[in-house]
């Protein structure tokens, strides 16, 4: 029984060391964080739904002048809710920033990555 408090202390220490600090950046700065997992915040300038069903959210300006984009694959479109009403509104998205055709983007893997 003497080991029980020690075990709890070790578990608490491990849990603390595994916690990650959430880094929030503006959409215009996303290109400087390629490969990093961050929260990107900005204003939705345009929403484009492709014939195949996927959606792209342009941040900062409409394509081709967007500073950042969020790609929502077809299989997640129904779970993200209606996106057209998001134009002109602030939104946050959490994920790993990658480059697509030279533009920084986050590809959604889960609808929970979007925060309105």
């Amino acid at each position: 029984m003497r080991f029980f408090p020690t075990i709890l202390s070790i578990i608490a220490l491990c849990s603390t060391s595994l916690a990650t600090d959430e880094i929030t950046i503006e959409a215009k700065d996303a290109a400087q964080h390629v490969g990093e997992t961050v929260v990107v915040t900005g204003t939705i300038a345009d929403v484009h739904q492709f014939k195949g069903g996927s959606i792209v959210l342009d941040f900062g300006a409409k394509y081709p002048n967007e500073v950042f984009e969020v790609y929502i694959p077809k299989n997640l479109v129904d779970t993200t809710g209606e996106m057209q009403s998001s134009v002109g509104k602030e939104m946050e998205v959490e994920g790993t920033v990658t480059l697509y055709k030279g533009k920084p983007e986050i590809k959604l893997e889960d609808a929970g990555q979007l925060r309105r």
Side-chain angles (χ1 to χ4, degrees), residues 63-74:
Y63 176 86
N65 299 312
E66 74 279 10
V67 296
F68 171 75
E69 63 186 29
V70 173
Y71 176 76
I72 305 172
K74 178 183 175 180

Side-chain angles (χ1 to χ4, degrees), residues 37-98:
T37 300
V38 295
V39 174
V40 178
T41 184
T43 302
I44 304 296
D46 196 24
V47 175
H48 181 77
Q49 186 158 18
F50 296 97
K51 289 181 182 179
S54 61
I55 292 176
V56 170
L57 307 176
D58 292 331
F59 281 64
K62 292 182 177 185
Y63 176 86
N65 299 312
E66 74 279 10
V67 296
F68 171 75
E69 63 186 29
V70 173
Y71 176 76
I72 305 172
K74 178 183 175 180
N75 65 314
L76 291 180
V77 167
D78 289 339
T79 62
T80 59
E82 198 276 320
M83 288 286 127
Q84 288 296 333
S85 63
S86 298
V87 174
K89 296 183 181 173
E90 287 282 317
M91 187 173 286
E92 292 183 343
V93 60
E94 181 177 5
T96 303
V97 178
T98 60

Side-chain angles (χ1 to χ4, degrees), residues 4-52:
F4 187 68
T6 304
I7 291 172
L8 287 179
S9 296
I10 291 171
I11 291 171
L13 181 61
C14 290
S15 298
T16 303
S17 65
L18 291 176
T20 58
D21 292 328
E22 189 174 89
I23 298 170
T24 300
I25 62 169
E26 292 183 31
K28 66 179 180 62
D29 299 325
Q32 300 166 8
H33 295 274
V34 173
E36 297 178 30
T37 300
V38 295
V39 174
V40 178
T41 184
T43 302
I44 304 296
D46 196 24
V47 175
H48 181 77
Q49 186 158 18
F50 296 97
K51 289 181 182 179

Side-chain angles (χ1 to χ4, degrees), residues 92-107:
E92 292 183 343
V93 60
E94 181 177 5
T96 303
V97 178
T98 60
L99 285 179
Y100 178 75
K101 295 187 178 182
K103 298 281 186 170
E105 83 166 11
I106 290 178
K107 180 180 179 180

